């Protein structure tokens, strides 16, 4: 049975990673070992689970159905084995977090180093992406998202700053050439650096002052993928390409050096900070419990 479980875990690792090499990198094994385990599983079940090409690996229909059922089941096995952690002096194991790029940049740097120093036997894996995912199906223990994107059946714990703002900025040189907007609607006549989600939807900009909310869809010469190409957008704004809206904390170093100038600051919209979220269940894996307790102490 132990060998069978190991083969099932190998299949899940490869299917989630989209390849044997990436699956081995994520799990710390070898690509050849995973390939052998998956082939053994397929022979035992008498059905192909993965379609393999020279460029990609993807589940067959049978593999997709198996993966859908296996994720939660193997999670329960891990949770059962994790009970042993309660008898250790210090928790150990792997904690996997799925977070937006903004949290990886603005929230976790102040938390991760002291957490790992406090729990040296915990191994932390962080996946940074801005699409909303099912954390269990993605093989993660918990995620970080903002409250408007949290599922109702999740437990949410505040993490990081409790209030944040979106800041609108541009280089002084750009504003000297094109003028300084006095109202959000003025942005429609400016070159704006936009953002696009992985879903293909463009990022709207919202402004608020004295109860008035203005929502615009900016246009301009540059649009970047939200999260992954944000640093490019910032550098383009500094170079004078156009006006940018982004997390104030992300832009603060450039505001302090005056490489970027605030635009429409009285209209900057505030919002509540992010949350660590995870499935509600009686027994939390020891690494996740340690992390939840740790951020509770940091608040």
């Amino acid at each position: 049975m132990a060998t069978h479980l190991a083969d099932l875990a190998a299949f899940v690792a490869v299917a989630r990673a989209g390849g044997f090499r990436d699956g081995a990198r994520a799990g710390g094994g070898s690509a050849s070992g995973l390939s052998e385990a998956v082939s053994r599983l397929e022979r035992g079940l008498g059905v192909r689970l993965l379609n393999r090409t020279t460029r990609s690996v993807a589940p067959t229909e049978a593999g997709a159905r198996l993966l859908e059922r296996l994720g939660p089941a193997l999670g329960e096995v891990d949770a059962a084995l994790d009970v042993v952690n309660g008898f250790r002096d210090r928790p150990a194991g792997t904690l996997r977090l799925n977070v937006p790029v903004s949290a990886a940049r603005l929230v976790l740097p102040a938390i991760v180093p002291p957490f790992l120093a406090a729990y040296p036997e915990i191994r932390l894996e962080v996946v940074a992406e801005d699409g909303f995912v099912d954390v269990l199906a993605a093989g993660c223990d918990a995620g970080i998202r903002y409250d408007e994107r949290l599922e109702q059946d999740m437990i949410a714990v505040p993490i990081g700053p409790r209030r944040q703002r979106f800041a609108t900025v541009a280089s002084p040189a750009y504003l000297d050439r094109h003028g300084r907007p006095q109202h959000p609607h003025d942005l429609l006549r400016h070159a704006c650096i936009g953002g696009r989600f992985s879903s293909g939807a463009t990022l709207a900009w919202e402004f608020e002052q004295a109860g008035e909310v203005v929502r615009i869809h900016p246009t301009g010469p540059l649009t970047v993928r939200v999260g992954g190409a944000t640093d490019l957008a910032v550098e383009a704004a500094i170079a004078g390409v156009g006006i940018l809206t982004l997390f104030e904390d992300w832009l603060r170093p450039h505001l302090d050096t005056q490489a970027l100038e605030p635009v429409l600051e009285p209209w900057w919209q505030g919002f509540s900070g992010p949350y660590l979220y995870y499935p509600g269940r009686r027994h939390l894996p020891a690494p996740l419990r340690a992390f939840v307790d740790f951020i509770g102490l940091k608040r």
Side-chain angles (χ1 to χ4, degrees), residues 259-277:
L260 291 171
E261 179 180 322
V263 173
L264 298 171
E265 186 168 1
W267 287 88
W268 289 2
Q269 189 178 57
F271 53 95
S272 61
Y275 292 83
L276 177 79
Y277 74 102

Side-chain angles (χ1 to χ4, degrees):
M1 183 63 177
T3 301
H4 190 52
L5 282 176
D7 292 349
L8 290 171
F11 161 71
V12 170
V14 173
R16 284 174 173 167
F20 291 95
R21 185 172 301 175
D22 289 340
R25 187 179 296 115
S30 69
S32 60
L34 290 180
S35 179
E36 182 180 345
V38 172
S39 295
R40 184 168 54 242
L41 181 62
E42 289 177 325
R43 289 194 302 270
L45 295 175
V47 64
R48 178 176 290 276
L49 300 174
L50 297 174
N51 287 321
R52 305 159 174 84
T53 70
T54 56
R55 294 186 176 181
S56 66
V57 173
T60 62
E61 182 178 356
R65 294 291 299 274
L66 180 61
L67 180 63
E68 180 183 344
R69 299 293 297 272
L70 271 180
L74 289 178
E76 287 301 316
V77 171
D78 288 340
L81 293 174
D82 187 68
V83 171
V84 178
N85 249 326
F87 296 90
R88 298 172 58 92
D89 294 333
R90 293 183 298 187
T94 299
L95 172 62
R96 298 178 179 87
L97 301 179
N98 185 286
V99 309
V101 174
S102 59
R105 184 181 182 108
L106 303 177
V107 175
L108 291 182
I111 296 173
V112 167
F115 172 73
L116 294 178
Y119 298 97
E121 296 182 44
I122 290 179
R123 179 172 176 247
L124 179 63
E125 295 183 12
V126 178
V127 177
E129 58 184 353
D130 282 280
F132 190 79
V133 300
D134 181 330
V135 290
L136 290 182
C140 295
D141 301 293
I144 295 177
R145 289 296 185 274
Y146 288 85
D147 54 0
E148 72 274 11
R149 304 192 71 187
L150 292 175
E151 295 182 7
Q152 296 300 313
D153 59 347
M154 292 287 183
I155 294 175
V157 179
I159 185 172
R162 298 325 309 141
R163 292 296 297 174
Q164 293 181 277
R165 287 197 303 178
F166 283 120
T168 303
V169 300
S171 72
Y174 173 89
L175 296 172
D176 289 342
R177 291 195 308 270
H178 300 283
R180 287 163 171 79
Q182 301 302 308
H183 188 277
H185 285 140
D186 295 341
L187 295 173
L188 297 175
R189 298 189 295 273
H190 280 266
C192 295
I193 300 172
R196 188 181 302 277
F197 293 107
S198 57
S199 65
T202 56
L203 179 64
W205 292 3
E206 285 194 359
F207 301 87
E208 185 174 0
Q209 185 182 39
E212 180 185 1
V213 177
V214 178
R215 180 182 176 94
I216 69 166
H217 288 273
T219 60
L222 177 64
T223 300
V224 303
R225 170 75 174 268
V226 173
T230 301
D231 282 332
L232 171 61
V234 174
E235 293 302 322
I238 293 172
V241 171
I243 298 176
L244 173 68
T245 289
L246 189 60
F247 290 91
E248 180 183 4
D249 292 342
W250 198 315
L251 297 169
R252 176 50 55 191
H254 305 296
L255 289 167
D256 290 343
T257 63
Q258 299 182 345
L260 291 171
E261 179 180 322
V263 173
L264 298 171
E265 186 168 1
W267 287 88
W268 289 2
Q269 189 178 57
F271 53 95
S272 61
Y275 292 83
L276 177 79
Y277 74 102
Y278 53 91
R281 57 190 184 194
R282 183 177 304 174
H283 176 75
L284 289 183
L288 177 57
R289 169 51 61 193
F291 191 72
V292 171
D293 293 342
F294 185 81
I295 64 174
L297 293 173
K298 297 285 285 186
R299 292 203 300 274

